[in-house]
Amino acid sequence: MLIYGLILAGGEGRRFGGTDKAFLPLEGRCLLDRVADRFSPQLAGMAISANGDARRFARFGYDVLPDQGAARLGPMAGVAAGLSWLAGQGGTHLATVPVDAPFLPCDLVARLVDAAMGAPAGLAVADCGGRIHPTCALWPLSIAPALTAALAAGERRIGQWALAQGAARAVFAETTPDAFMNLNTPDDLAAAERALRAN
């Protein structure tokens, strides 16, 4: 198994006044830096899923993958682009995480792999407190044709689709701060800053 990773950074950050979430500062470091630091050591290589001018990510040194086609179709389109890139890298599986989750577990990929071993499609999603986090997932390259077909048919609900494919759940204990906290609003960002100061 050769696992590459993809940080999903295609969100438009509307609730942050249109600011690119990847570059939001959290205690002196941008979210992309924080997520990459936790995620990249778990992988054979990594890319970023993002639309717009790829040059804004130049300093990070990762491939930047835009959604295929003109429309912005959400994280499912990012995963599709990531699987296409994965094939060119010679990888077998793609692990994905969102750019706005700065406290991700440092054993995320290993736990997803363990769960995927028991799934018929070799697919796994993170589960914490009974809630799935479908953008924190492990996708086998073999699922690419089915995912692409579903996307073309109008499917956008990545979690529901993954579970319909028989995705296993990698169960994580609840932690403080929440390992799967998504920073969707300025209030979330402020809560993350308080959590960092407290630890």
Side-chain angles (χ1 to χ4, degrees):
M1 190 178 286
L2 186 58
I3 304 169
Y4 283 75
L6 183 69
I7 296 179
L8 298 165
E12 297 178 0
R14 291 190 193 105
R15 286 179 241 183
F16 290 96
T19 299
D20 195 326
K21 271 194 187 181
F23 300 103
L24 282 174
L26 175 58
E27 288 292 285
R29 301 183 64 216
C30 74
L31 290 184
L32 181 54
D33 266 331
R34 290 187 174 275
V35 172
D37 278 358
R38 297 180 78 85
F39 191 41
S40 62
Q42 306 179 51
L43 306 161
M46 197 175 75
I48 299 167
S49 166
N51 296 300
D53 188 351
R55 290 175 295 183
R56 69 191 191 276
F57 298 104
R59 74 174 178 86
F60 297 96
Y62 299 118
D63 289 344
V64 179
L65 314 179
D67 291 352
Q68 297 167 347
R72 296 186 177 189
L73 304 178
M76 200 160 173
V79 175
L83 288 168
S84 179
W85 171 82
L86 175 70
Q89 305 303 307
T92 61
H93 291 73
L94 183 75
T96 58
V97 298
V99 76
D100 61 352
F103 305 122
L104 289 168
C106 292
D107 62 349
L108 174 66
V109 174
R111 301 273 297 278
L112 287 169
V113 168
D114 286 347
M117 294 295 187
L123 168 62
V125 298
D127 176 314
C128 185
R131 178 184 170 203
I132 70 161
H133 299 274
T135 55
C136 295
L138 183 72
W139 309 87
L141 181 58
S142 59
I143 210 165
L147 188 145
T148 301
L151 193 61
E155 182 61 76
R156 301 292 179 266
R157 297 162 299 179
I158 189 170
Q160 184 172 315
W161 186 84
L163 292 176
Q165 309 313 301
R169 296 180 182 227
V171 178
F172 291 81
E174 295 184 61
T175 59
T176 303
D178 178 1
F180 296 95
M181 177 192 291
N182 290 113
L183 308 189
N184 293 315
T185 67
D187 284 347
D188 293 339
L189 183 62
E193 288 171 343
R194 289 193 298 271
L196 279 174
R197 292 185 197 122
N199 284 285

